[in-house]
Amino acid sequence: MSSNNPVNLRLPDGSVRTFDKPVTGTTLAADIGPGLLKAALAIKVNGDIWDLSREIEEDSDVAIVTKKDEDGLELLRHDAAHIMAEAVQELFPGTQVTIGPVIENGFFYDFARDKPFSDDDLEVIEKRMHEIVKRNEEIIREVWDRDEAIAYFKKIGEHYKAEIITDLPEGEVVTIYRQGEWLDLCRGPHLPSTGKLGDAFKLMKVAGAYWRGDSKNEMLTRIYGTCWTDKKELKAYLHRLEEAEKRDHRKLGREMDLFHLQEEAQGSVFWHPKGYTMWLQLEKYIRSRIQEFDYQEVKTPQVLDSKFWEQSGHWAKFRENMFVVPDETPSTEEGAPIISPDAKLMALKPMNCPAHVQVFKQGIKSYRDLPIRMAEFGCCHRNEAHGALHGLMRVRQMTQDDGHIFCREDQITEETIKFCELLASVYRDLGFPEFRVLLATRPEKRSGTDESWDHAEKSLEDALKATGLDYGFAPGEGAFYGPKLEFHLNDAIGRTWQCGTLQLDPNMAKNLGATYIGEDGNKHTPIMLHRAVLGTLERFLGIMIEHYAGKVPMWLAPVQAVVAPITSEAGEYAQEVFDKMQAAGMRVELDLRNEKINYKVREHSVKKVPAIIVVGKREAEQGTVSIRRIGSKDQTVIPFTEALEAFTKEATMPNGTA
RNA sequence: GCUGCCGUAGCUCAGGGGUAGAGCACUCCCUUGGUAAGGGAGAGGCCGGAAGUUCAAAUCUUCUCGGCAGCACCA
């Protein structure tokens, strides 16, 4: 078998096969067996995924990639994007292609076209994709000269592609993939032919997306698709999506009668009694937690003079997100403008920090006073873009579980560790043992010098390292006054939302003239740590509703139990049970309606009441209750006194507060 | 804010150039029924708003407001 230039390929099981040159992934797969040759999508060479047709020149560790591998699925999705692009360009000549990456569960491709695609186009495109798969076009990798490639794409009117190649780092190999008549610039790797994609894909939706993610650039039209290894998985995915939609907090909010939104107060929540009960419970819990961590709660003004915001830097960096309020008596004169053009301006606070600095500034502070941990359930208003609003997750009026830690430079690490400790234990208590941490660095629009940012970013990262948490980066995502840690949680359909945050701010206290007297007797500017554990009560409740699909823990549930007699015969006993539970401090309802027990059970189940307590003649005679828990079809019959004890225990907050 | 889609009773949705329908919810009546919808009767909308085309518009056109998804922005 060996010859002058043999290539040794070592398989994952450790066995080595030797081939004469030229050798490719296809050679290897064919050598192993016809079944694998058919299933092969690509080959992993020393950890990198290569096309099957690419020649392997040296001895390597290899593995054939099939659909069953995670890498294989990614290949399928990537090729689905390419095949979609081919279909689009066949059907809509003149459309330019830009980028088409793999994303979670699928792929997308951004196109430039005068008229954006509509939902109706998707069907046609999808049909053509299936045809391209049937054609089973061979996919061929070619290495092109950079300048030739640029010239070529310019010539055929693909200006975005030409721009992409132009911006490739020097020395990067320009590879082109050909499938049938069509070709695209791509790093690869790809399947050997379009037929390997199969039919487990579906185009999902059209959306606009800015070229290079910048709203100053032109908007492209993006087509999203999903792609799986087989139809069964595709179906399962679509089913999962449907199920997730049932957990949408906006839907559950209506069904459970928690809150509503209406256009006269866009982005601001009307909390109903039940929703506000949850709010109050959560607030009570977090309040007791911050007390435990030595925070002092304050309450500061809602409307402040614009000159105040000028000082804080908000006027320059944040004004477009602020609600401005004229400080003037509105004119009642017919036809006259309500507010004169030279009215003095105030603004609703978008953040609590400048107000907290004012509290700090009252009286002289010593270094011995630090750290000062000031907390506020601060109601803030931000004029968010219409398109950004989203149920409870993104609102215009929000209540943060805000806090500012005024500390010395040398206290940053300890305070960061303490905060992360608090946050992690709160998240654990609330059902989120896992969360994502990101370090967000300096944005384009910022105040403060580069030196102060260098320093702030470094000390925040050092402090973060000291917490031992795993973290990633969010470049350019910091607040305008400082870098921040972001703590993210997911909603029902996997979108991630920033909840908790810790922001290191070396600038604001200085801008607002806050100082303390140091050990040396001189004035120093305190460091401010802006921090929120939940982030906002609105968003966090939204996340919790989705996380628990409405079936929140009993301590948080607006109605903890419903007592439902089977017939009026047990009405008196039901009343007695109800009274005792209420007297024990539980949020309980009594359902005496003349309805069948089936009907009552169904209704309270839909409302996600944690416990339905059914009582009939038997229970009345024996002093028991029949308990049906939400999410279960079983019932347990136990003595009422026992049940009450268990319920009161369960209704206790995670940290033991009643 | 940008792109696409959508906007009919409280909710979910059907209809579609000749002045509007279903199920659930609501009100009343019958039913006292053992763990996710018992039966009957009734009330409720002028079809997001404005303008236009037409003998005639919820149905077509334009504009506008709002919702949803994505993008951008952000807790």
Side-chain angles (χ1 to χ4, degrees), chain A residues 129-163:
Chain A
M129 287 172 70
H130 284 290
E131 285 169 29
I132 294 170
V133 170
K134 274 211 194 80
R135 282 188 221 150
N136 197 17
E137 292 163 350
E138 194 184 347
I139 300 173
I140 302 157
R141 177 178 187 267
E142 295 174 6
V143 176
W144 282 24
D145 173 75
R146 183 195 192 94
D147 294 332
E148 270 175 38
I150 294 171
Y152 173 79
F153 282 108
K154 275 190 179 157
K155 198 184 92 199
I156 62 169
E158 294 281 5
H159 302 291
Y160 292 93
K161 281 288 173 192
E163 193 179 323

Side-chain angles (χ1 to χ4, degrees), chain A residues 269-445:
Chain A
V269 186
F270 292 79
W271 287 98
H272 297 7
K274 287 184 175 145
Y276 197 54
T277 300
M278 287 175 72
W279 173 298
L280 290 172
Q281 287 297 106
L282 183 59
E283 188 180 294
K284 188 172 167 191
Y285 164 77
I286 195 72
R287 176 173 281 130
S288 89
R289 294 307 313 272
I290 60 173
Q291 279 167 1
E292 187 189 314
F293 276 72
D294 298 322
Y295 284 80
Q296 294 173 302
E297 202 174 324
V298 298
K299 200 74 182 171
T300 60
Q302 221 37 248
V303 181
L304 294 108
D305 198 305
S306 59
K307 74 173 185 212
F308 177 78
W309 298 112
E310 278 165 34
Q311 237 188 344
S312 69
H314 285 78
W315 210 243
K317 312 287 180 195
F318 207 74
R319 191 172 51 196
E320 62 197 46
N321 289 303
M322 290 170 71
F323 284 102
V324 173
V325 185
D327 181 21
E328 189 180 82
T329 311
S331 167
T332 51
E333 213 175 298
E334 190 80 24
I338 297 169
I339 299 297
S340 65
D342 52 353
K344 182 182 152 188
L345 298 179
M346 318 267 292
L348 283 167
K349 68 172 168 188
M351 299 179 190
N352 305 299
C353 34
H356 287 187
V357 174
Q358 306 314 306
V359 176
F360 178 90
K361 280 172 70 179
Q362 297 306 111
I364 293 172
K365 298 290 182 294
S366 148
Y367 71 97
R368 296 172 196 275
D369 297 324
L370 305 183
I372 291 175
R373 304 188 191 88
M374 201 183 288
E376 177 171 2
F377 290 92
C379 177
C380 294
H381 287 81
R382 293 184 193 172
N383 199 344
E384 302 286 349
H386 290 78
L389 301 176
H390 181 95
L392 296 178
M393 306 297 198
R394 192 76 185 272
V395 292
R396 286 177 155 178
Q397 183 193 90
M398 70 201 87
T399 304
Q400 302 175 314
D401 64 322
D402 205 4
H404 293 92
I405 301 169
F406 296 87
C407 65
R408 303 186 307 259
E409 185 86 33
D410 62 286
Q411 293 171 319
I412 293 174
T413 304
E414 194 189 336
E415 288 304 312
T416 301
I417 293 172
K418 264 193 184 164
F419 172 75
C420 290
E421 194 183 300
L422 168 62
L423 182 135
S425 88
V426 166
Y427 281 24
R428 210 179 310 120
D429 276 356
L430 300 181
F432 304 95
E434 312 246 325
F435 50 89
R436 201 156 64 100
V437 187
L438 292 176
L439 174 61
T441 53
R442 71 192 76 184
E444 266 180 50
K445 229 175 155 180

